[in-house]
Amino acid sequence: MAQLWGGRFTKETDRLVYQFNASITFDRKFYEQDIEGSKAHAKMLGRQGIITEEEAARMVEALEGIRLDVASGALLVTEEYEDIHSFVEATLIKRIGDTGKKLHTGRSRNDQVALDMRLYTRRQVQETDALLKKLLETVLQIMEEHTQTVMPGFTHLQKAQPITLAHHMGAYFEMFKRDRQRMADIYERMNYCPLGSGALAGTTFPLDREYTAELLGFYGPTQNSMDGVSDRDYLIEFLSALATVMMHLSRFSEEIIIWNSNEYQFVEIDDAYSTGSSIMPQKKNPDIAELVRGKTGRVYGALLSLLTTMKGIPLAYNKDMQEDKELAFDAMDTAKGCLALFEGMLSTMKFNKAVMEKSASHGFTNATDAADYLVGRGVPFRDAHGIIGQIVLYCIEKGIAIDDMPLSELKRFSEAFEEDIYEAVSMEACVNKRLTAGAPGKAAMERAIAAARDYLKSTPQISTNA
Ligand code: ARG
């Protein structure tokens, strides 16, 4: 048990209490951020004359040495320390002696952990943004290749109207684009530095908070020291955005699972992204999509957990806040893992164009267009709707499609039908006549694709000036 305090205590901490209280098993994940923050703090202490420039330089060099040694595995972050902050400080003192004891001047673990968590989360926001961008590129590529791949569009999971695969993918493009926008928003709001907030009330030392903020790539210091140590809004916002990413991935997964089923066969998942059954030799299962769908619950759980933890905490720091880490880390790793795997699955997936097109043309997806045709011949829409409804019923009884009916039969339902009905209800016409902005028609879709391409070109990944 190695801890940073003890002066006012007359008894050793109970071992179970120590373990219950300790966070080293999970906060070692941000050792790099802890060291970066300490380096900035040491530089600032030197620059302000709170310690000498030489002392600051020794600290910075030794801290960098610790970082490299942990990274290479030469130095192990062991559980004998309470948390990563204690580990780094104790190791520094071991390496450079008394000078190391000056590092914590004007600093508290409260502003230290607030900084570490913010730096770590900021990095995660960037990495998530990069993964979303890659996924968007893959989705866009599928859109570009399939502007003429007709498939049924569904409502209530029932065939509704014909669309194209490009159009369907375009819906996901918009979702993941909004997810990226959320990342950028969160980054903008969170990129302020809590270091220098002290335990809660700042410090009597003349710290230069602007300087440490700048060294660490923040826009500036946070405005209120109480809020500085107790704000976890940025983390809640990020978990909420990740929950939304997962919701999108889960919906997409659900569709892929349906499309991959024996009944649909719209897609074939690549062997590298499928799994077999231990007993049924014929099986090729969409486990990756199912796992993505399943893991969504974990990410929702992390969001709910942190919201609940934070809701009862009086200002400023309380130990409850240590609970901001484990589930949040799990959610971040889970979401990133799912994004990467999903992109891999999507980019290797085969789309069965012929099956999709056949499915669209059997299922009365052109019924609305047939009604619209009658409207074009002067039949009021409500009457046209009724006429086509009767035709559909007739076709279902006969097991045929609308365009299988000869003109003479169609005329029995309405005199308004002419020879050009067949062209009007062909799948190509049904899709390509839908030209409202955002619709699947070729010209509209090409405009949407151009806009998507521009968006990806003009929106670089989030970067930090540190
Ligand atoms: N491990 C603690 C956390 O994660 C660090 C801050 C400790 N501060 C304190 N006053 N005990 O929140």
Side-chain angles (χ1 to χ4, degrees):
M1 295 200 279
Q3 52 205 20
L4 295 172
W5 38 274
R8 94 179 286 294
F9 288 76
T10 53
K11 257 192 187 173
E12 283 272 296
T13 321
D14 178 88
R15 174 140 293 274
L16 280 178
V17 171
Y18 181 82
Q19 281 169 1
F20 189 66
N21 195 47
S23 52
I24 189 82
T25 50
F26 46 89
D27 63 19
R28 63 172 138 211
K29 208 170 166 84
F30 54 52
Y31 77 91
E32 275 192 292
Q33 286 75 16
D34 194 74
I35 291 172
E36 279 315 309
S38 291
K39 278 163 63 180
H41 185 66
K43 278 184 201 164
M44 182 277 298
L45 290 177
R47 195 162 179 261
Q48 294 298 96
I50 301 167
I51 59 173
T52 68
E53 290 277 11
E54 297 73 55
E55 286 171 327
R58 271 193 87 191
M59 276 186 206
V60 170
E61 200 194 328
L63 284 165
E64 180 56 16
I66 295 172
R67 190 182 71 77
L68 292 173
D69 289 349
V70 175
S72 73
L75 177 63
L76 293 179
V77 182
T78 60
E79 284 171 33
E80 103 194 65
Y81 297 93
E82 179 188 335
D83 54 28
I84 191 65
H85 326 295
S86 318
F87 168 82
V88 171
E89 190 176 326
T91 312
L92 182 70
I93 294 169
K94 243 189 241 165
R95 293 193 174 185
I96 63 170
D98 283 351
T99 303
K101 293 183 181 166
K102 296 185 179 178
L103 174 65
H104 213 51
T105 312
R107 188 176 69 166
S108 158
R109 275 187 297 168
N110 298 351
D111 61 344
Q112 191 176 355
V113 78
L115 170 67
D116 294 359
M117 198 59 191
R118 213 177 269 238
L119 285 171
Y120 186 85
T121 305
R122 187 176 73 176
R123 176 114 279 270
Q124 298 296 314
V125 171
Q126 291 171 304
E127 287 178 13
T128 307
D129 180 63
L131 287 163
L132 281 165
K133 184 159 194 268
K134 179 134 199 274
L135 178 58
L136 280 169
E137 276 156 10
T138 298
V139 172
L140 177 57
Q141 195 180 331
I142 300 171
M143 287 164 73
E144 285 168 337
E145 285 164 13
H146 291 282
T147 56
Q148 291 304 291
T149 302
V150 175
M151 66 181 283
F154 296 85
T155 61
H156 315 275
L157 206 49
Q158 307 219 16
K159 292 179 198 178
Q161 292 176 341
I163 54 162
T164 63
L165 181 56
H167 191 239
H168 200 116
M169 289 292 135
Y172 284 104
F173 190 94
E174 294 305 313
M175 292 181 231
F176 295 125
K177 184 172 89 184
R178 288 195 294 275
D179 287 332
R180 278 199 79 200
Q181 289 165 344
R182 271 183 274 276
M183 295 302 143
D185 290 347
I186 292 165
Y187 186 92
E188 285 302 301
R189 223 175 352 267
M190 76 175 290
N191 199 26
Y192 292 88
C193 185
L195 185 62
S197 296
L200 75 161
T203 168
T204 54
F205 293 100
L207 307 188
D208 183 348
R209 294 193 59 208
E210 295 281 347
Y211 180 59
T212 39
E214 191 193 314
L215 283 178
L216 293 165
F218 287 105
Y219 298 145
T222 51
Q223 289 302 310
N224 177 293
S225 59
M226 300 257 275
D227 181 55
V229 290
S230 28
D231 169 32
R232 297 294 182 274
D233 289 5
Y234 67 90
L235 191 53
I236 290 171
E237 285 187 37
F238 183 41
L239 290 175
S240 162
L242 289 182
T244 307
V245 168
M246 291 302 296
M247 179 268 287
H248 291 155
L249 285 178
S250 185
R251 291 181 78 174
F252 208 163
S253 293
E254 172 70 6
E255 296 206 304
I256 289 174
I257 293 162
I258 293 172
W259 292 352
N260 185 66
S261 67
N262 302 140
E263 284 67 25
Y264 276 75
Q265 298 182 21
F266 283 9
V267 299
E268 194 183 330
I269 300 175
D270 195 78
D271 277 1
Y273 287 88
S274 314
T275 46
S277 156
S278 62
I279 175 168
M280 298 167 282
Q282 84 280 16
K283 285 282 196 142
K284 196 174 140 187
N285 297 328
D287 285 25
I288 299 306
E290 289 169 15
L291 273 172
V292 169
R293 189 176 60 182
K295 284 174 190 289
T296 302
R298 278 169 63 167
V299 178
Y300 290 5
L303 170 64
L304 258 292
S305 160
L306 186 58
L307 278 169
T308 312
T309 296
M310 293 304 292
K311 89 183 203 0
I313 304 185
L315 290 176
Y317 180 86
N318 292 254
K319 192 71 176 221
D320 319 37
M321 290 167 78
Q322 181 164 289
E323 286 298 309
D324 68 352
K325 296 182 189 61
E326 284 167 284
L327 294 186
F329 290 157
D330 180 75
M332 295 171 194
D333 291 344
T334 300
K336 283 194 303 177
C338 288
L339 277 168
L341 273 161
F342 193 91
E343 191 280 326
M345 176 176 70
L346 191 64
S347 61
T348 51
M349 204 161 77
K350 298 243 167 355
F351 294 94
N352 295 331
K353 217 174 147 161
V355 178
M356 285 179 160
E357 285 178 1
K358 191 161 167 234
S359 168
S361 50
H362 291 82
F364 307 105
T365 59
N366 53 2
T368 314
D369 295 83
D372 289 352
Y373 170 90
L374 290 178
V375 171
R377 295 284 172 291
V379 182
F381 180 76
R382 194 48 58 213
D383 292 341
H385 185 284
I387 294 165
I388 302 299
Q390 287 167 11
I391 291 178
V392 167
L393 185 63
Y394 174 83
C395 286
I396 291 171
E397 278 163 10
K398 299 237 155 182
I400 57 172
I402 297 175
D403 24 348
D404 292 336
M405 289 170 71
L407 188 58
S408 55
E409 249 174 87
L410 284 168
K411 275 189 177 291
R412 278 182 24 225
F413 290 87
S414 168
E415 273 304 324
F417 283 115
E418 295 299 341
E419 197 53 50
D420 59 354
I421 175 64
Y422 299 104
E423 166 18 55
V425 298
S426 74
M427 285 299 119
E428 289 67 35
C430 290
V431 166
N432 287 326
K433 276 192 308 202
R434 293 190 143 72
L435 289 171
T436 35
K442 191 163 189 280
M445 203 58 230
E446 274 164 8
R447 276 196 303 279
I449 287 175
R453 220 182 279 129
D454 278 354
Y455 161 77
L456 280 179
K457 246 190 249 136
S458 62
T459 320
Q461 274 155 229
I462 304 170
S463 66
T464 307
N465 295 326

